Amino acid sequence: MIQHLNNIHHSDSTNFFLIAGPCIIEGEDMALRIAEKVITITDKYKIPYIFKGSFKKANRSRVDSFTTIGEEKSLEILRKVGETFNIPTTTDIHENDHAALAAQYVDVLQIPAFLVRQTDLLVAAAKTGKCVTLKKGQFLSPEAMKFAVEKVTDSGNTKTAIIERGNSFGYSDLVVDFRGIPTMQQYAPVILDVTHSLQQPNQSSGVTGGRPELIETIAKAGIAVGADGLFIETHPDPSCAMSDGANMLKLDRLDDLLQKLTRIREAIL
């Protein structure tokens, strides 16, 4: 997928690529600070990097959960991040009309896991001509993602990748089956969503929990089995994040993690 992004750095690197940023756009200053920090680290390890931030969150536990600082405002911030640092950006879309809207501002459109079977949404994303990432539903087998990929490619767009984010395990937990990564690589490049794989959804409090202490473990395993890329949500202070703080990586821990992962990548090549 990254070969289709003209503004991605280190495209000739043999390292994995990284999608990282805050769960949701909280403000311009924060987005720019996170992007600048991640770029400094990824440049050090020659990791191709895509900045991620949701312009709106539709999948919330409660009606009073935070959703956006403003759709257009958030999209403008994503555009500014991309233009300021000359890097590709991505955001998730939830409605058919969001595809054409977000495509005006970002380089990659992400389909959320709960919506990956929505044919019209996938077709709308494909027809923008942008790269499209497909999060594997927590309820789907790796083999079932073949058909999600085909919905995009049959719509005339071959610029796609799959994001693994764990399978439902009971009512309130997720587990990653790493056997699915090579299976799905038969259909498209595969990105491991490290932080969402460690969510603990459907908590009685109405706020999703998480196991961030396992981020390094899951990330190491993903690189060891040959994932093409990683997806990591990060924040300067996850305890204050407006969304998904329970499973995000603290920004000041990213450098150490990527250094370790780069060594694993070198060892398996």
Side-chain angles (χ1 to χ4, degrees), residues 99-176:
L101 172 64
Q104 300 175 59
Y105 298 88
V106 301
D107 305 276
V108 183
L109 300 178
Q110 175 188 298
I111 306 298
F114 283 126
L115 299 176
V116 76
R117 282 177 53 88
Q118 298 297 103
T119 301
D120 288 349
L121 181 61
L122 271 62
V123 171
K127 289 188 177 298
T128 66
K130 296 288 183 174
C131 293
V132 179
T133 53
L134 304 164
K135 283 208 172 185
K136 182 178 73 63
Q138 301 92 323
F139 45 87
L140 291 177
S141 69
E143 291 80 5
M145 286 304 294
K146 172 183 178 181
F147 305 106
V149 171
E150 287 178 349
K151 289 178 182 180
V152 176
T153 57
D154 288 351
S155 300
N157 188 334
T158 59
K159 299 181 287 187
T160 187
I162 300 169
I163 301 179
E164 165 64 53
R165 52 99 72 242
N167 281 62
S168 295
F169 187 70
Y171 288 114
S172 301
D173 207 356
L174 298 168
V175 65
V176 178

Side-chain angles (χ1 to χ4, degrees), residues 9-25:
H9 303 177
H10 311 296
S11 58
D12 58 347
S13 172
T14 58
N15 214 340
F16 58 90
F17 64 93
L18 177 69
I19 300 175
C23 177
I24 192 167
I25 297 298

Side-chain angles (χ1 to χ4, degrees), residues 235-254:
H235 192 282
D237 185 359
S239 67
C240 297
M242 293 180 176
S243 178
D244 280 1
N247 52 270
M248 277 200 281
L249 179 70
K250 199 168 187 295
L251 186 58
D252 64 12
R253 296 183 60 192
L254 184 63

